Amino acid sequence: MEKKNIDWSNLGFTYMKTDYRYVSNYKDGAWDEGAMITDDTVAINECAGVLQYAQTVFEGLKAYTTEDGRIVTFRPDLNGERMENSARRLEMPVFSKERFIKAVIETVKANAAYVPPYGSGATLYIRPYMFGSNPVIGVKPADEYQFRVFTTPVGPYFKGGVKPLTIRVSDFDRAAPNGTGHIKAGLNYAMSLHAIVDAHSQGFDENMYLDPGTRTKVEETGGANFLFVTKDNTVVTPKSSSILPSITRRSLIYVAEHYLGLKVEEREVLLEEVKDFAECGLCGTAAVISPVGKIVDHGKEIVLPAGMEQMGPVTQKLYDTLTGIQMGRLEAPEGWIQVIE
Ligand code: PLP
Ligand code: COI
């Protein structure tokens, strides 16, 4: 298969139309068998549930070209499970994890010409999503839904690649104490738009959100979980019922313990103790692990000892090991790598 003529190494995290997308419709209580189509537009009624009451959930994962030339994806079963949970929380019908995995594989296969080559620094981002499609005017769940998967080749999420980021403590919340912070609902991201535009306008790369109940504990950013490293090399990651259960974070905890022999603590992290950490990183599918160099809390600067020039040494080891597993340079734990072709 011939690859598309794309400047892979200079891609940003932007949308590029690829040739095929997967669609399945839910009507009269059942999903149809689904199909691969070429039309990149969606036609729905003006009163569709998604347009009026934001009834939509999504996922994000990537396809990689490995060192030996295979196309693989990383733990799609966990994305499928998380999407099942997201759908349940928004009263949407579940598109089963098994069908989710098949749809992802089919869509990547159909767009294989867009999977960036090994070593290019780019990957194929896969975006499964689902939305209420029939007219809903009283506040209630839709009766009809569409599940779709599209793909787009991407480079690094943050401009500048792996240069340490400067983030600020946000005065806005992205989630409520008993809300939807733990699922991947579009509404959480709409919530974060004003905060991110405001952060960018003030020269910050991202927001650090605090727990919405007490505003004393670290939660996550708009699109990634936090990982901290203590001065004695323990990996610490915030535990909270209002953050997204990141698949990258869960994988890194395993990598830290089983590949690198590090101690890991998943626990509440007070904003007050952040100044004592040696390293900080943002982890997620899009972010991979992006190092944080500086955290600004209302004018008070916390400069992580790892500095503004490069990743800290533990963050670097975690990054190398995780990407080594994803790109086939290191042996993966059982079930982590789904071979596509
Ligand atoms: N937190 C938020 C709010 C996200 O949007 C994402 C991205 O999916 C993550 C964390 C990281 O999750 P994952 O590692 O499963 O991509
Ligand atoms: C992902 O990492 O897949 C996400 O969905 C995060 C988003 C901010 C791009």
Side-chain angles (χ1 to χ4, degrees):
M1 171 264 324
E2 201 168 318
K3 293 281 175 193
K4 298 282 171 180
N5 183 21
I6 292 170
D7 184 6
W8 306 106
S9 302
N10 287 309
L11 289 173
F13 198 85
T14 51
Y15 172 79
M16 178 189 294
K17 181 184 166 187
T18 56
D19 295 340
Y20 298 97
R21 60 275 303 124
Y22 177 89
V23 183
S24 175
N25 288 295
Y26 180 90
K27 198 174 172 174
D28 301 328
W31 290 103
D32 67 15
E33 79 259 28
M36 203 58 75
I37 61 165
T38 55
D39 188 358
D40 60 326
T41 62
V42 177
I44 46 174
N45 184 273
E46 61 190 352
C47 198
V50 60
L51 298 179
Q52 302 309 322
Y53 303 123
Q55 201 185 12
T56 178
V57 297
F58 69 100
E59 271 304 322
L61 64 166
K62 283 173 170 173
Y64 309 85
T65 302
T66 58
E67 193 171 28
D68 63 1
R70 291 170 306 153
I71 295 175
V72 303
T73 186
F74 184 70
R75 311 189 78 179
D77 52 323
L78 298 189
N79 293 93
E81 249 165 47
R82 194 169 62 188
M83 194 156 181
E84 289 187 356
N85 293 333
S86 297
R88 284 189 195 102
R89 179 64 177 77
L90 291 198
E91 290 295 333
M92 302 168 88
V94 162
F95 192 83
S96 76
K97 170 174 95 174
E98 292 73 24
R99 286 200 62 189
F100 174 101
I101 296 171
K102 271 199 201 133
V104 163
I105 293 174
E106 249 184 79
T107 316
V108 174
K109 258 193 194 156
N111 293 296
Y114 291 91
V115 182
Y118 175 78
S120 64
T123 51
L124 188 74
Y125 187 69
I126 308 162
R127 174 54 63 88
Y129 61 114
M130 190 201 291
F131 52 88
S133 53
N134 69 301
V136 173
I137 192 72
V139 178
K140 68 178 182 83
D143 302 306
E144 296 175 13
Y145 294 85
Q146 203 164 92
F147 170 88
R148 298 175 74 107
V149 184
F150 72 78
T151 59
T152 180
V154 295
Y157 188 67
F158 292 104
K159 272 195 256 133
V162 291
K163 262 227 158 288
L165 305 169
T166 299
I167 66 172
R168 68 158 184 198
V169 176
S170 173
D171 287 328
F172 301 102
D173 295 322
R174 71 170 283 282
N178 296 300
T180 54
H182 61 301
I183 60 158
K184 215 161 162 60
L187 62 93
N188 295 336
Y189 299 80
M191 280 276 281
S192 73
L193 294 178
H194 176 63
I196 193 66
V197 169
D198 189 58
H200 285 163
S201 76
Q202 296 187 40
F204 300 106
D205 296 300
E206 251 294 0
N207 287 295
M208 170 186 273
Y209 292 105
L210 302 180
D211 73 292
T214 71
R215 304 192 56 78
T216 57
K217 291 170 259 178
V218 176
E219 293 244 303
E220 61 175 329
T221 68
N225 283 179
F226 278 106
L227 274 186
F228 297 99
V229 182
T230 65
K231 288 181 179 138
D232 60 1
N233 289 350
T234 297
V235 175
V236 178
T237 180
K239 187 178 174 132
S240 158
S241 57
S242 47
I243 66 176
L244 192 78
S246 158
I247 293 158
T248 313
R249 187 243 305 159
R250 287 181 267 164
S251 305
L252 285 168
I253 288 175
Y254 186 91
V255 162
E257 284 177 336
H258 296 90
Y259 283 65
L260 303 176
L262 298 169
K263 207 170 135 228
V264 177
E265 292 173 5
E266 200 180 346
R267 61 165 170 85
E268 290 186 338
V269 175
L270 294 173
L271 175 60
E272 213 177 78
E273 63 180 301
V274 168
K275 62 177 183 339
D276 302 324
F277 289 123
E279 300 176 38
C280 172
L282 307 183
C283 64
T285 298
V288 194
I289 312 181
S290 302
V292 174
K294 194 194 286 183
I295 302 167
V296 182
D297 177 14
H298 300 89
K300 225 172 39 214
E301 290 195 354
I302 300 167
V303 181
L304 279 299
M308 293 304 292
E309 286 311 311
Q310 61 206 16
M311 280 192 193
V314 174
T315 308
Q316 185 73 57
K317 270 192 216 156
L318 287 166
Y319 180 94
D320 291 344
T321 312
L322 180 71
T323 53
I325 290 170
Q326 291 167 333
M327 309 280 176
R329 292 186 296 267
L330 293 173
E331 190 164 345
E334 178 81 27
W336 279 24
I337 297 298
Q338 169 76 55
V339 178
I340 291 178
E341 63 177 42

